[in-house]
Amino acid sequence: QVQVVESGGGLVQPGGSLRLSCVVSGNIFSIYVMGWYRQAPENPRELVATITSGGSANYGDSVKGRFTISRDNAKNTVYLAMNSLQPGDTAVYYCYARIVTTPYWGQGTQVTVSS
């Protein structure tokens, strides 16, 4: 069994910052890719950022320059530092981990950007 648990969501004002964390636990051999996707109401799930075990990061166009993804391989943990948040960033943020070829998802954490 593999568990993916996110934390760190909440309500923030426009221009503010938040940091999300995600821990993967269970029967894990190697997590090649970890990352974050998000889904706003009535919209498809979209890429926020991913990072490989070697540290290569990939970002969605809408968050480039504002969000930073990082990971701690020893702790099977991935982080997402979000700065200059805008109302358009409001969504449920899902943690993603690919173990060998199998994808695993967390339950999601709500991020709301509003004044």
Side-chain angles (χ1 to χ4, degrees):
Q1 284 280 23
V2 174
Q3 295 81 42
V4 181
V5 180
E6 306 101 334
S7 62
L11 173 64
V12 63
Q13 292 186 345
S17 300
L18 278 177
R19 186 185 192 226
L20 304 183
S21 300
C22 171
V23 180
V24 181
S25 61
N27 187 13
I28 301 168
F29 174 66
S30 176
I31 308 174
Y32 178 58
V33 179
M34 301 182 79
W36 297 90
Y37 287 72
R38 68 186 183 186
Q39 188 167 20
E42 301 182 352
N43 283 291
R45 192 170 294 190
E46 65 171 356
L47 168 72
V48 177
T50 59
I51 186 168
T52 67
S53 55
S56 178
N58 180 47
Y59 294 91
D61 288 341
S62 62
V63 306
K64 286 180 181 177
R66 301 187 297 124
F67 292 11
T68 302
I69 191 170
S70 59
R71 66 186 279 177
D72 184 332
N73 292 329
K75 296 180 179 179
N76 293 327
T77 301
V78 62
Y79 306 96
L80 184 69
M82 305 184 291
N83 297 312
S84 301
L85 283 160
Q86 305 162 2
D89 296 314
T90 295
V92 177
Y93 283 68
Y94 295 93
C95 181
Y96 164 83
R98 194 177 91 206
I99 301 174
V100 190
T101 59
T102 304
Y104 294 90
W105 295 91
Q107 292 298 307
T109 184
Q110 176 71 44
V111 172
T112 302
V113 184
S114 175
S115 56

